[in-house]
């Protein structure tokens, strides 16, 4: 017989009465852990996407959301490729780089991958030259894409990954994202059958941790031709001059392309920040709710438990238990409850985050062991605080009165 | 060894003062066996519990081995109960979710004995009350007579010199009552001081002397004289009950 035995036995004897209070706390901890876990990884994923994007302005179809763009949701409408030329021909200043894209789901070697058509830089230059005007003739220097004299030109891989542009891409060439390459089992120099055509894999792109990893990139016009889509695109990624962006670049593009939606990365970041603030407020609200509901139901349970056990407490006192031992019996019980609810809530919350995270937020979620400390800390503090007054009442019971009742 | 000096106990019940003990003075020497009889509400339980350090007096003192119980702190008093006093109750008061052996271990656990010593002692004590084959039974799995025997074993756990029993046979049939009274007689013969509240006049006769309480006053304090052969015969029958 030890304190532990005594407390354990009692818990298991009357576990049904415990269920409500215990579940309230478990549920609260579960929700907090899963919210924290998912927001952490979705924040991280968005930051990584933004970092990898390189572009700072996106031109999308009116009905498309930024989320559609990230997840390459193909239900959204398209915009004509002609918009690119309109931009090129316009007098809008501060457009450093344009990268039109058309993404489609395709089946290759029985795998579902996203095929993304991109336009290499040389075609712009040709078009721009042909049109007698264009963005590449303007002075550069404020965007991302600057050729540093004396440096070897970067490989197609790096420029596509960092700057969203590639100098040249023949109509029968493809670039394969790292994950797509693994799942398809292809490597540089291989041939790949896509939509009935043979393509040369000219490069496998380095891992970026973004959706690009599971994509195949081909020439935009090839993609349009093979899918019979015509001259349309899903998005134009723009590298704009920061000073121009703050100076009304978005409004100018809006005026030029009234049927498209123009968003800046700042907007996306702000949306994300707002989203995160909302989530952290939500988890704070949950924290308050579990403190109130969970704490109240544990306190309520403990009072009932003390009342029900008053004869037992009186007996223990008659047998020589001091009030501190009685206090410890109830506080130890509260500690066990808190530990169980904290650990259980962490486990359930993590499982929930791991299964729901990819579906709700579209990001892979990994367990965060550091959350277990918080989960246990909150839960134990709560059960101890809620049990203190009932435990003290037990410790102060008058043994004679408790034993006299029949 | 146990003394009560001019003890008074008053309860305040709805602005009405109830006198449960009225100027009681007792001297209980070591090895005594006292039975306390009296009508319901006469203060028997109050007397027993104040003697056992469970209920403080409104007036007067209780001395155990010269130590005034209610001048001690509650925790010191609890420690004294653990060491020197064994309680037996009418309703046994076994802890329902613990086995017979674990119930007997409680006072040993409270005294800080290690687990193997606790188990050994509990096994021995339960053997003594004839429950060797019921160590792992919960109270609900035992008959009332067996439950009271577990309580008797638990009461003996820390080898207390004083035993206080409040109607220990109140819930038992005559046969088990006899066994319990016989057991109390047996431990009295080991040198323990026994004070027993009872409603049963025949059980009361087993004691060395009987106190009658009426309205909180000790009505008589006489040594058994065994005046009639009837009473002597009853006592003899009871004693046979123990051995049988
Ligand atoms: N906690 C209490 N509050 C008020 N009155 C009490 C309390 N406990 C006992 N009494 C009263 O004190 C008297 C003696 O009670 P008790 O010692 O239990 O008597 P007995 O055991 O002889 O039946 C009774 O009149 C009872 O009603
Ligand atoms: Mg009574």
């Amino acid at each position: 017989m030890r304190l532990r035995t005594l407390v354990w036995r009692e818990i298991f004897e009357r576990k049904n009465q415990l269920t409500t209070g215990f579940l309230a706390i478990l549920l609260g901890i579960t929700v907090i852990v899963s919210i924290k876990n998912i927001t952490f990884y979705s924040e991280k994923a968005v930051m990584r996407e933004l970092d990898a994007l390189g572009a700072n302005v996106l031109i999308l179809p009116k009905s498309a959301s930024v989320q559609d763009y990230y997840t390459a949701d193909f239900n959204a409408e398209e915009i004509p490729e002609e918009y690119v030329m309109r931009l090129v021909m316009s007098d809008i200043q501060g457009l450093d780089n344009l990268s039109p894209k058309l993404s489609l789901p395709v089946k290759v070697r029985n795998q579902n991958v996203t095929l993304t058509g991109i336009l290499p830089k040389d075609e712009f230059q040709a078009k721009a030259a042909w049109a007698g005007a264009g963005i590449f003739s303007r002075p550069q220097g404020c965007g991302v894409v600057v050729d540093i004299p004396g440096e070897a030109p970067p490989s197609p891989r790096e420029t596509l990954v960092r700057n969203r542009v590639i100098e040249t891409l023949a109509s029968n060439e493809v670039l394969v994202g790292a994950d797509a390459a693994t799942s398809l089992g292809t490597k540089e120099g291989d041939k790949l059958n896509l939509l009935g055509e043979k393509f040369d894999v000219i490069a496998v792109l380095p891992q970026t941790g973004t959706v690009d990893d599971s994509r195949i990139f081909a020439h935009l016009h090839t993609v349009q031709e093979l899918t019979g889509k015509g001259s349309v695109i899903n998005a134009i990624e723009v590298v704009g001059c920061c000073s121009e962006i703050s100076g009304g670049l978005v409004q100018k593009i809006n005026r030029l392309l009234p049927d498209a939606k123009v968003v800046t990365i700042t907007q996306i970041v702000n949306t994300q920040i707002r989203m995160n603030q909302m989530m952290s407020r939500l988890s704070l609200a949950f924290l308050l709710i579990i403190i109130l509901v969970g704490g109240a139901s544990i306190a309520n349970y403990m009072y009932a438990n003390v009342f029900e056990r008053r004869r037992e407490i009186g007996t223990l006192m008659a047998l020589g238990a001091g009030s501190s031992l009685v206090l410890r019996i109830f506080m130890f019980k509260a500690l066990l409850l808190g530990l169980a609810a904290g650990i259980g809530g962490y486990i359930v919350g993590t499982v929930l985050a791991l299964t729901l995270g990819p579906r709700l937020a579209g990001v892979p979620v990994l367990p965060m062991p550091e959350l277990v400390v918080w989960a246990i800390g909150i839960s134990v503090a709560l059960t101890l605080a809620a049990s203190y007054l009932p435990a003290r009442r037990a410790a102060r019971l008058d043994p004679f009165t408790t034993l006299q009742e029949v | 060894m146990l003394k009560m000096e001019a003890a008074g106990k008053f309860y305040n019940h709805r602005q009405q003062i109830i006198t449960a003990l009225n100027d009681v003075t007792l001297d209980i020497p070591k090895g005594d066996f006292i039975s306390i009889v009296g009508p319901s509400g006469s203060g028997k339980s109050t007397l027993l519990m104040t003697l056992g350090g469970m209920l403080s007096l409104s007036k007067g003192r209780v001395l155990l081995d010269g130590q005034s119980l209610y001048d001690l702190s509650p925790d010191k008093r609890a420690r004294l109960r653990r060491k020197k006093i064994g309680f037996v109750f009418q309703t046994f008061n076994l802890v329902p979710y613990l086995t017979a052996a674990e119930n007997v271990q409680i006072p040993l656990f409270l005294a800080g004995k290690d687990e193997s010593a606790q188990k050994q002692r509990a096994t021995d004590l339960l053997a003594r009350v004839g429950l060797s084959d019921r160590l792992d039974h919960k109270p609900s799995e035992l008959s009332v007579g067996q439950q009271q025997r577990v309580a008797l074993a638990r009461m003996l756990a820390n080898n207390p010199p004083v035993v206080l029993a409040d109607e220990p046979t109140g819930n038992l049939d005559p046969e088990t009552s006899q066994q319990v009274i016989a057991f109390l007689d047996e431990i009295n013969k080991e040198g323990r001081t026994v004070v027993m509240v009872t409603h049963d006049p025949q059980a009361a006769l087993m004691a060395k002397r009987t106190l009658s309480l009426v309205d909180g006053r000790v009505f008589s304090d006489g040594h058994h004289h065994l005046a009639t052969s009837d009473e002597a015969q009853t006592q003899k029958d009871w004693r046979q009950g123990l051995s049988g």
Side-chain angles (χ1 to χ4, degrees), chain A residues 170-283:
Chain A
S171 61
N172 64 338
E173 290 174 344
V174 286
L175 299 158
V176 183
D179 293 345
T182 313
S183 67
L184 294 172
T186 82
K187 56 183 196 303
E188 206 171 308
D190 277 0
K191 299 257 186 233
L192 203 59
N193 242 322
L194 260 179
L195 302 165
E197 291 282 320
K198 262 202 159 44
F199 288 86
D200 292 327
V201 177
I202 58 160
V204 170
L205 301 171
Q207 192 89 32
T208 62
T210 69
V211 285
D212 284 358
D213 290 346
S214 50
R215 292 185 178 193
I216 296 175
F217 296 90
H219 195 291
L220 176 64
H221 296 154
T222 312
V223 174
Q224 288 171 343
E225 208 174 295
L226 288 178
T227 56
K229 284 268 187 191
S231 278
V232 291
I233 50 180
N234 299 125
I236 307 172
E237 294 167 356
V238 180
V239 178
C241 268
C242 303
S243 55
E244 297 292 339
I245 292 176
S246 52
L249 179 66
V250 171
Q251 288 85 332
K252 282 181 199 158
I253 300 176
N254 260 331
R255 234 172 288 134
L256 182 70
L257 309 170
D259 294 328
K261 175 181 195 164
V262 187
V263 285
T264 65
I265 296 305
T266 337
Q267 284 172 320
I268 300 172
V269 169
N270 284 343
T271 313
Q272 183 59 35
I273 289 171
R274 269 202 304 279
M275 180 81 169
N276 287 339
Q277 280 171 345
M278 200 190 76
M279 288 308 256
S280 68
R281 268 203 295 270
L282 198 68
S283 58

Side-chain angles (χ1 to χ4, degrees), chain A residues 404, chain B residues 11 13 18 20 39-46:
Chain A
Q404 235 187 352
Chain B
Y11 294 109
H13 188 67
I18 295 165
S40 175
S42 57
K44 304 183 297 296
S45 296
T46 305

